[in-house]
Amino acid sequence: MIWELLWLCFTMFMAISIIMGIAPMLIIAERRVSAWIQGRKGPNRVGPQGLMQPLADITKLIFKEEIIPENADKYLFIAGPLLVFCPPALGFAVIPFGNAIGEYKLQVANLPIGILFAWAVLSVGVYGITLGGWASNNKYSLLGSLRASAQLISYELSLGLGILLIVMMTESIDPQQIVWNQVHQGFFGWNIFGGGNPLALPCGIVGFTMFFICALAENNRVPFDLAECEAELVGGYHTEYSSMKFAMFLLGEYVAMITMCGLIVTLFLGGWDIPFIHLEEQPTVFGAILSFGAFMTKMLVLLFSYLWIRWTLPRFRYDQLMGLGWKVFLPISLTNVVVLAIVGILWKGPIG
Amino acid sequence: MENQVATVNVPGPLKARSFIVRLLTKLYLPNIFAGLVKTFEWMVRPSATLEYPEVKRVTRKGYRGEHRLKKDDQGRMKCVACFMCATACPAECIEITAGPSPWPDRDKVPVQFRIDMLKCIYCGMCEEACPCDAIELTETYTQVATTREEKIYDIQRLLSY
């Protein structure tokens, strides 16, 4: 009992360190990557290679004046950034970030419905954006938050169908089960390659592509960052925010990115599985560290591609965004699910 | 002959290929990947930025920076106060006061030679106009001053390079 409690504390500490460690690093990474892509050097003066820059940024933001507009709804105005920051961090609780040590799993909460839970809390983030934008009593903020919610509704459908794909492949919504299913089948059994069913290979790849693009939209990242589109809406939903509340919006976006990437790794990229190395046979400390490294590597590569895409693509126009969501992604995802159902029956037989 | 419409006989495989190409183009994805590859190339390329106070830019030959007045091999200034540079100057930033020469080989020398660096457009016309090759634009590009008066260079400053 006492060991389980200690283990829970340890995993919670790990999860919080992952989120709180990577989120500030993403601030500096975003600035450095954008600089490199644009042929500049980027901030490199604070600390070695500018690694202390987030500290300077956040210190500056803390000491700035905190303004709440006179006609704003004060409570909702404060609730906005909190709702953006906290729920995505909660979502990380169900993501298994390493192989078990003995019977102790490297996962904060081993929920049987973990994927649904992560899904639910990730979607709460948009309430923060909507409430914050509405409470600001500013027409640009309101437009930004309306866009965010409309965008979420359009893209969450395709995203949900992507999860359905995984549920059909694995026949479970338990993250542990999903990861173990991929680990047992080896590298070519990852869900991106069809989850052990060779016929489902195109479904897996198309599903992964759809899921990744919709995840960009879900996190309000370029090319889908219409909610904070500077060219049209000043700052979008965070126009009226200043000081640490603004920083909460900023960090909330990064935390949502981290959780989303963790989710993608769990769902499609085999979780903590290292290709061609059978870690599942040795639930030791060494194996756990290796598997943790594999999980982090996959997640950081995905996070880097988020930044990379941001500094490559221009923003969509709003009608293009809606058209893409409803007319392209939804039909492709639906077709994908139907094709996977047929292919699954062909491979495993109707009973399964 | 003139009404004949030009037709190209497309072979079967090419037709199919062009359909695939069109489909892919409509999906945007190939172009997006091309863009991503291009930005990645830029990312690994060394940046053009110099970290200025530590690394100074090497000026190219013929760079037009601040002026100086040259001296001959005996250490005398070359200028003979002919006013050619002041006449040629489009910004009218050169102001010369001439005086009698202490040396027998020329009539005049400048007593005062002022260049207003804030007016100067660094065109190099003074250098072109000078018959004695006495004025020159150096490669100094760091031009810092805290007052306007400091930026009016007098003869001592110009000769001190």
Side-chain angles (χ1 to χ4, degrees):
Chain A
M1 184 64 204
I2 184 80
W3 288 112
E4 277 163 22
L5 209 62
L6 278 176
W7 183 252
L8 186 65
C9 290
F10 174 68
T11 48
M12 275 160 68
F13 172 74
M14 285 286 282
I16 291 172
S17 332
I18 292 172
I19 291 172
M20 288 296 140
I22 298 179
M25 282 303 115
L26 277 176
I27 298 177
I28 179 72
E30 178 122 62
R31 294 177 68 181
R32 289 306 298 267
V33 167
S34 74
W36 289 333
I37 284 178
Q38 293 163 358
R40 297 181 284 117
K41 280 195 196 290
N44 58 356
R45 291 302 166 108
V46 192
Q49 287 297 309
L51 280 175
M52 292 290 124
Q53 185 69 36
L55 209 64
D57 287 350
I58 295 296
T59 314
K60 185 200 84 174
L61 281 166
I62 286 174
F63 284 107
K64 279 191 140 186
E65 188 185 356
E66 194 125 24
I67 299 167
I68 296 180
E70 210 169 278
N71 292 323
D73 187 323
K74 201 179 163 194
Y75 298 106
L76 291 186
F77 191 80
I78 294 169
L82 285 176
L83 275 178
V84 168
F85 186 72
C86 300
L90 269 181
F92 204 83
V94 295
I95 293 170
F97 48 84
N99 195 2
I101 303 173
E103 287 180 4
Y104 298 105
K105 296 185 174 77
L106 269 177
Q107 183 191 23
V108 178
N110 187 13
L111 291 181
I113 53 153
I115 295 299
L116 277 187
F117 173 78
W119 205 234
V121 288
L122 268 176
S123 310
V124 171
V126 82
Y127 280 92
I129 293 176
T130 314
L131 285 179
W134 181 76
S136 308
N137 200 14
N138 174 327
K139 52 185 175 255
Y140 296 114
S141 305
L142 184 60
L143 276 172
S145 51
L146 280 178
R147 281 179 172 192
S149 41
Q151 188 179 323
L152 185 90
I153 290 167
S154 320
Y155 281 84
E156 197 133 278
L157 279 173
S158 313
L159 217 48
L161 288 170
I163 288 183
L164 191 60
L165 215 63
I166 301 303
V167 173
M168 285 163 75
M169 283 175 183
T170 315
E171 294 163 9
S172 167
I173 45 173
D174 181 358
Q176 285 287 349
Q177 194 64 43
I178 288 172
V179 171
W180 275 105
N181 193 40
Q182 298 178 74
V183 170
H184 283 313
Q185 317 232 29
F187 179 60
F188 294 105
W190 288 6
N191 285 337
I192 183 177
F193 301 120
N197 178 352
L199 294 174
L201 177 72
C203 292
I205 290 171
V206 171
F208 173 74
T209 316
M210 289 291 122
F211 196 91
F212 185 72
I213 297 172
C214 293
L216 286 177
E218 168 93 4
N219 287 347
N220 287 319
R221 291 287 292 179
V222 174
F224 304 105
D225 70 331
L226 285 240
E228 50 184 308
C229 169
E230 298 91 354
E232 298 162 22
L233 299 179
V234 191
Y237 57 89
H238 57 58
T239 305
E240 296 290 348
Y241 281 90
S242 54
S243 183
M244 207 53 208
K245 290 207 201 69
F246 172 76
M248 292 278 269
F249 270 125
L250 191 78
L251 284 174
E253 188 186 315
Y254 289 125
V255 171
M257 270 165 66
I258 293 166
T259 308
M260 187 59 94
C261 287
L263 204 60
I264 294 175
V265 169
T266 307
L267 290 178
F268 284 96
L269 301 178
W272 43 260
D273 184 29
I274 305 176
F276 312 117
I277 294 175
H278 296 287
L279 278 178
E280 71 269 24
E281 285 152 14
Q282 34 178 294
T284 56
V285 176
F286 179 66
I289 291 171
L290 266 186
S291 60
F292 176 68
F295 176 83
M296 289 303 281
T297 313
K298 288 174 195 175
M299 199 166 86
L300 290 177
V301 167
L302 277 181
L303 283 170
F304 169 73
S305 59
Y306 263 60
L307 305 183
W308 185 14
I309 287 168
R310 169 164 185 184
W311 296 104
T312 304
L313 298 179
R315 188 181 287 127
F316 276 105
R317 213 170 56 216
Y318 192 62
D319 58 319
Q320 288 173 334
L321 177 89
M322 283 294 152
L324 199 67
W326 289 102
K327 291 181 196 159
V328 181
F329 285 0
L330 189 57
I332 290 180
S333 307
L334 275 173
T335 320
N336 209 10
V337 167
V338 172
V339 168
L340 181 73
I342 295 167
V343 157
I345 287 173
L346 284 179
W347 184 250
K348 288 179 183 168
I351 295 146
Chain B
M1 233 5 213
E2 287 158 25
N3 294 336
Q4 208 170 19
V5 181
T7 52
V8 184
N9 211 355
V10 182
L14 202 65
K15 223 176 216 167
R17 192 176 155 266
S18 74
F19 169 73
I20 292 167
V21 166
R22 263 183 292 146
L23 183 77
L24 286 174
T25 315
K26 219 174 174 188
L27 279 176
Y28 301 120
L29 286 175
N31 290 336
I32 286 174
F33 277 117
L36 286 171
V37 169
K38 183 55 81 181
T39 44
F40 196 82
E41 270 172 32
W42 270 91
M43 191 159 46
V44 293
R45 187 184 290 193
S47 91
T49 312
L50 292 179
E51 291 178 57
Y52 171 63
E54 290 94 34
V55 185
K56 294 230 163 55
R57 194 176 135 198
V58 180
T59 50
R60 269 178 243 161
K61 202 164 178 293
Y63 182 87
R64 301 197 296 264
E66 290 190 336
H67 306 70
R68 74 179 185 115
L69 287 177
K70 288 197 209 167
K71 291 174 185 162
D72 61 12
D73 46 9
Q74 295 164 46
R76 308 175 301 178
M77 71 174 113
K78 279 185 174 180
C79 183
V80 295
C82 67
F83 290 79
M84 291 285 266
C85 53
T87 314
C89 182
E92 298 184 348
C93 64
I94 305 178
E95 184 195 327
I96 306 171
T97 316
S101 166
W103 307 302
D105 58 345
R106 62 191 82 164
D107 291 336
K108 295 189 289 182
V109 288
V111 177
Q112 187 53 275
F113 194 113
R114 280 209 181 92
I115 301 180
D116 189 340
M117 288 297 180
L118 296 173
K119 280 188 191 167
C120 180
I121 57 171
Y122 302 95
C123 62
M125 295 285 256
C126 44
E127 194 179 355
E128 299 287 332
C130 186
C132 307
D133 197 18
I135 190 164
E136 184 191 49
L137 269 61
T138 60
E139 290 172 355
T140 313
Y141 57 86
T142 46
Q143 309 180 348
V144 189
T146 46
T147 58
R148 284 177 167 273
E149 284 70 33
E150 273 177 61
K151 289 309 289 178
I152 301 172
Y153 287 6
D154 58 9
I155 191 160
Q156 281 81 26
R157 171 86 197 247
L158 289 167
L159 278 169
S160 69
Y161 271 102

